[in-house]
Amino acid sequence: MQESLREEPAADFVALGGTVLALDPAGRRVRALAATGGRITALGSEREISGLIGPETTVLDLAERTVIPGFVESHNHPAFFGMTLAAPVDAGSPPNDTIADIAGRVAQAAKELGPGEWIRGFRYDDTLLADGRHPTRADLDPVSGRNPVVLTHVSGHFCTANSLALREVGITAETPDPPGGLIVRDARGEPTGVLVETAAFLVTSRLPGQSAGELAEALLLADEEYLANGVTSVHDTGIGLIGGAAELEAYALLRRAGKLRVRVRGYLFHDLLPGLAEGTPEAPDTGGADDKFAMTGVKIVADGSIQGKTGCLAEGYTCDPDEHGMMLLEPAELGRRIAALDAAGWQVAVHGNGDAAIDAIIDGYSRLGSPTGTGRRHRIEHCQTVREDQLDRMAAHDVLASFFVKHVYYWGDRHRDVFLGPERARRISPLVSARSRGIHFGLHSDTPVTPVPPLEGIWCAVRRVTRQGKVLGPEQAVDVDAALRGYTIDAAYLAGEENLKGSLEIGKLADLAVLSGDPTTIDPDRIRELTVEATVSGGEVVWRRETAGVTR
């Protein structure tokens, strides 16, 4: 039977002729839906919904494809992502196997750019290079000519610079390590070019080519990639982390021009919030929020990355037992900032990879008052090595999580064999343990750290297969329905938007992803082979393949 909000002579948008997975509490499956004014108005059979087609109705013929709610990506960095798409040097692996390969790409960029122009590269991963180390200025200086060079690590927690770039920003042997960071030095005390955590900001925050207009162009590049992968909403967890206050202006430019197509929920990088360092942060200003952009919370970075050995662990790294990583904020200061933000009315999202950092984050949240928290839905980002006892505490204080589930595939082998050892590695992103405690969580790709496709993330959550084809912690694998919800309705919950998006129900936004097949019925190993055929935002087809039939 057709479910309808009201009787209407015709709908603005209709999708029919396939499977519609509502992902509502009842788990409904229907054949068609209709929308008017950007909201879903009816779900039902093809015959029922066909009656709502008028001469001005946009009709999407599903051709037996599958419709799900548009993906909600709960932890990404759109400006950073767009910058990587536009960068002159792809330093990733693949395509690079050695530092010499990366140096060759830098040399080519130096030939194409004028003297003095900055060369930017992204995605290098020291653990995938045959050299087994970070590139240094000694590698970059001979090939970069008169161009300053900065290469950013795939994790975003490191960068490496040539001598000219170091000189441009004033980093010398006398420059002290900033709090929460490290300038790597050689035996003579000279900087090698490798900059760790907050030390990387000494360079990246002062790069040219990061005006609001240029960052807006980067955001548009990211916007297109999100839509091509069925993502209709993104949590930008760290606005200003790369481009400073200009990132806010970039969003403002796109909103004024009506060019922002993906819905963005922003989490301002904590260093940009006036008054926070003094304990009196400005309160949220929700006056300018709309369904395309809203500043939802504040992002704090508590520690680094496991693969960089800067994630703060209670027990040492397997490959280096005396190394426990680092806290970028002392636990007491972290707790003070959490309390001040909560008192001012902000939702807080804290990056925590190592279990020692996660302890400090939970300590901060647990001191806010009642055992069940304040209702602001405070979050832990990545939450990679969270222990069972910590999950108990998270459940007791209503702390949410956004799990970086793609770590299982992209770094699972190295976590098992190098960084964490078998027992700790098998428990990264413990989705079953979190779910058994009723903890709300979303799943994410942390793009540009790993590729966007949510279908790959869903496959990771269901299969937990590493790059070497080994299953890592099968007891933490969830079913397809739970994984889908981690990228839709449960991710929407993290930003307090579960009544607006994340499932296909009457009155909710008509945000849809059209898939080539039904992820709930195919072999789970084939989920990541599915493709997105069309993306719909507010009842408008905003991206489609040529094979997706749309008529009007």
Side-chain angles (χ1 to χ4, degrees):
M1 178 180 293
Q2 175 187 337
E3 181 185 350
S4 177
L5 184 64
R6 57 187 180 274
E7 292 295 329
E8 288 185 316
D12 293 340
F13 170 83
V14 162
L16 78 175
T19 300
V20 178
L21 302 180
L23 293 181
D24 61 354
R28 295 184 64 206
R29 303 169 72 96
V30 295
R31 292 285 295 175
L33 63 77
T36 294
R39 303 278 182 143
I40 297 170
T41 54
L43 297 100
S45 69
E46 291 180 57
R47 180 178 178 181
E48 291 165 335
I49 301 303
S50 294
L52 299 175
I53 297 174
E56 298 300 316
T57 303
T58 297
V59 179
L60 178 58
D61 179 6
L62 298 177
E64 298 306 321
R65 298 178 178 92
T66 298
V67 168
I68 64 170
F71 291 119
V72 179
E73 176 40 89
S74 62
H75 185 113
N76 255 223
H77 304 284
F80 185 15
F81 178 33
M83 290 168 67
T84 69
L85 294 173
V89 174
D90 179 0
S93 300
N96 304 290
D97 296 320
T98 65
I99 290 174
D101 292 339
I102 297 174
R105 292 175 182 271
V106 172
Q108 183 61 37
K111 292 178 182 177
E112 296 171 356
L113 297 174
E117 291 189 64
W118 284 73
I119 297 173
R120 294 219 62 181
F122 294 91
R123 297 199 318 114
Y124 86 85
D125 187 342
D126 56 301
T127 69
L128 288 181
L129 294 170
D131 311 76
R133 62 175 176 84
H134 295 265
T136 67
R137 64 188 179 100
D139 301 304
L140 301 176
D141 286 352
V143 297
S144 52
R146 291 175 288 174
N147 298 86
V149 178
V150 177
L151 305 179
T152 299
H153 192 265
V154 66
S155 69
H157 289 263
F158 306 83
C159 73
T160 188
N162 70 350
S163 295
L164 186 53
L166 294 175
R167 189 158 57 247
E168 288 278 342
V169 299
I171 295 177
T172 68
E174 286 71 44
T175 305
D177 293 337
L182 175 69
I183 300 171
V184 179
R185 306 169 197 269
D186 62 21
R188 298 174 300 156
E190 294 291 334
T192 66
V194 179
L195 305 170
V196 180
E197 300 296 347
T198 58
F201 299 155
L202 298 176
V203 173
T204 57
S205 64
R206 297 175 61 183
L207 289 172
Q210 295 186 139
S211 68
E214 287 160 319
L215 287 168
E217 290 300 317
L219 288 172
L220 288 177
L221 291 175
D223 190 83
E224 181 68 19
E225 288 298 311
Y226 289 132
L227 295 177
N229 286 284
V231 176
T232 54
S233 292
V234 171
H235 297 178
D236 186 337
T237 45
I239 291 180
L241 183 62
I242 298 296
E247 284 187 39
L248 285 170
E249 180 57 27
Y251 275 119
L253 288 173
L254 294 179
R255 292 173 71 193
R256 288 195 293 268
K259 292 183 177 180
L260 195 62
R261 295 181 296 171
V262 173
R263 306 182 196 279
V264 176
R265 292 301 173 258
Y267 291 77
L268 185 68
F269 186 54
H270 64 115
D271 282 349
L272 294 182
L273 183 63
L276 178 57
E278 295 76 31
T280 54
E282 289 185 357
D285 178 7
T286 59
D290 56 34
D291 65 1
K292 286 297 185 184
F293 182 90
M295 190 61 74
T296 302
V298 173
K299 164 75 173 296
I300 298 175
V301 181
D303 71 341
S305 70
I306 300 298
Q307 61 269 34
K309 295 197 298 184
T310 54
C312 193
L313 296 173
E315 297 181 11
Y317 283 83
T318 299
C319 57
D320 188 356
D322 293 331
E323 178 61 69
H324 289 255
M326 63 171 64
M327 291 290 293
L328 304 194
L329 288 173
E330 290 299 321
E333 176 60 20
L334 174 62
R336 281 193 292 271
R337 293 195 176 206
I338 288 173
L341 290 167
D342 179 79
W346 288 99
Q347 183 190 20
V348 186
V350 185
H351 162 122
N353 273 314
D355 59 337
I358 292 169
D359 260 335
I361 298 166
I362 299 172
D363 285 346
Y365 288 150
S366 69
R367 297 190 186 106
L368 294 179
S370 67
T372 55
T374 61
R376 300 201 204 285
R377 301 190 181 182
H378 298 317
R379 305 166 43 162
I380 300 178
E381 305 302 299
H382 310 317
C383 209
Q384 192 174 166
T385 60
V386 64
R387 304 186 307 264
E388 295 289 314
D389 63 295
Q390 293 174 323
L391 290 170
D392 289 338
R393 296 181 66 204
M394 289 175 65
H397 294 281
D398 285 345
V399 179
L400 315 182
S402 180
F403 285 111
F404 190 175
V405 71
K406 291 193 181 187
H407 257 287
V408 173
Y409 176 72
Y410 284 95
W411 285 282
D413 296 307
R414 282 167 285 165
H415 282 4
R416 180 194 62 234
D417 301 336
V418 179
F419 302 118
L420 297 175
E423 290 308 310
R424 284 186 294 181
R426 71 181 297 129
R427 292 201 67 266
I428 61 172
S429 297
L431 306 186
V432 169
S433 292
R435 192 170 174 81
S436 70
R437 290 164 169 82
I439 294 172
H440 288 275
F441 63 80
L443 304 175
H444 70 258
S445 64
D446 200 19
T447 302
V449 178
T450 67
V452 173
L455 287 164
E456 180 182 60
I458 291 164
W459 170 80
C460 287
V462 172
R463 293 291 292 117
R464 291 185 68 94
V465 173
T466 69
R467 279 186 172 184
Q468 293 179 3
K470 298 179 180 179
V471 177
L472 186 68
E475 66 278 1
Q476 295 296 343
V478 296
D479 61 29
V480 176
D481 182 75
L484 280 168
R485 291 175 186 274
Y487 267 107
T488 53
I489 187 65
D490 291 344
Y493 183 93
L494 265 59
E497 296 188 303
E498 70 276 13
N499 294 320
L500 182 67
K501 62 181 69 166
S503 61
L504 303 179
E505 300 179 73
I506 299 299
K508 285 193 171 184
L509 291 168
D511 292 355
L512 323 171
V514 181
L515 309 182
S516 58
D518 184 346
T520 68
T521 61
I522 66 170
D523 181 340
D525 282 324
R526 295 183 52 222
I527 290 173
R528 68 171 175 166
E529 299 172 10
L530 294 174
T531 57
V532 174
E533 299 296 301
T535 303
V536 177
S537 179
E540 177 185 354
V541 180
V542 290
W543 184 91
R544 67 183 178 94
R545 294 185 189 276
E546 292 298 323
T547 53
V550 179
T551 60
R552 185 163 190 172

